Amino acid sequence: MEKMQKKLGFGFMRLPMKDGQADIPQTCDMVDLFLRRGFNYFDTARGYLDGKAETLIRTCLTSRHPRESYLLTDKLSGNYFKTEADIRPLFESQLTDCGVEYFDFYLMHSQCRENYDHYQQCHAYETAFALKAEGKIRHVGISFHDTADFLDQILTEHPEIEIVQLQFNYLDYEDPAIQSRLCYEVCRKHGKPVLVMEPVKGGRLTQLPEKARKILDELHGGSNASYAIRFAAGFEGIKMVLSGMSSIEQLRDNTDYMTDFKPLDDRERKALSEVCRVFRGMHLIPCTACRYCEAGCPRKIHIPDLFAVLNARQIYSDWNGEFYYDVHTRNGGKASDCIKCGQCENICPQHLHIRELLEQVAEIYDKKAE
Ligand code: SF4
Ligand code: SF4
């Protein structure tokens, strides 16, 4: 497998923004610094950044640096093909948009019970391996969001899969729904190397509730993100931890502690267990703000933002929730506008009961507005 120079990858999913668009000069600076510091792994997908992530990869990375200086991962997302015949043209357009002739890794995106049959019926795995044989993909893998027994099923049915991308972070490690540990153990059983996504759980492990922040502050001064990323990177067989960095400061911090990576020591691990206890006591909605659910919502509800409002209410009891609820519903539906079509739940990688949760949001914020 190609040389992944260090265990930190740059996810083109949450870039720095300016006036509602990705900040290209800052992203170019980040890419340059990342490479200069000896890191070389980049990850993207067609749907990221409102469908602009692949062309941003071309603008900021591939048109500016030699092909051998980086590794690039892209994904086959289920909502961009209807039939087997759609896959090759889609793939070719991804190569063109990214400005490359091959991908180092190509993943069947977000595999779960809801979409696996679609990939099977369209012979997506077979097509990806045919593209590999043609030299257009170096390695084929999956990214995965479901239970460990289903991962076991996929890896048994497709032993040719070379690598697995998992949601893996200290809060989800023992979570009964996400099953990070159990999924990781399935990968180990099947001898598959692991790529990590969501190591900071969509930013939730960087913006800690005060009680949790105090626990980490008592360590040696590392950033909240540093403990989360080092937690994930410390496991055997984990090849890469992705970070969706959205400022050059974040990139500097991440590359500082990952240049000479050291796994967590006992004291740090114990502190993270205490942070988990704080989170569990708060009963927060485990939304990672991936925004997969938003595109198909017929009522244009900004679902993750409304969940963030409710979570913030839990974390900061005196917080100005009504104001922010108003901000997030100005250009989108209210929670009570939900018609319960269920589209969002079919696509949510966290398997959230979005309709029920929106009822809770509506109960608090729409009632007050009446
Ligand atoms: S169930 Fe509600 S929130 Fe989900 S897609 Fe349908 S209208 Fe939107
Ligand atoms: S509700 Fe689910 S799909 Fe929507 S942003 Fe949150 S985690 Fe992603």
Side-chain angles (χ1 to χ4, degrees), residues 167 198 285-294 303-305 307 344-345 347-352 354 357:
Q167 176 165 330
E198 303 287 9
I285 301 170
C287 168
T288 60
C290 67
R291 300 193 177 274
Y292 293 170
C293 54
E294 279 195 348
I303 300 165
D305 299 320
F307 289 169
C344 50
E345 291 184 17
I347 203 165
C348 175
Q350 309 304 317
H351 310 291
L352 299 183
I354 294 173
L357 291 165

Side-chain angles (χ1 to χ4, degrees), residues 27-57:
T27 305
C28 289
D29 287 348
M30 289 166 69
V31 165
D32 296 351
L33 182 60
F34 191 70
L35 290 169
R36 226 170 29 245
R37 289 189 164 189
F39 296 80
N40 69 341
Y41 187 93
F42 294 82
D43 169 279
T44 194
R46 165 108 338 169
Y48 294 171
L49 297 161
D50 287 333
K52 298 187 188 115
E54 290 171 332
T55 51
L56 285 163
I57 279 277

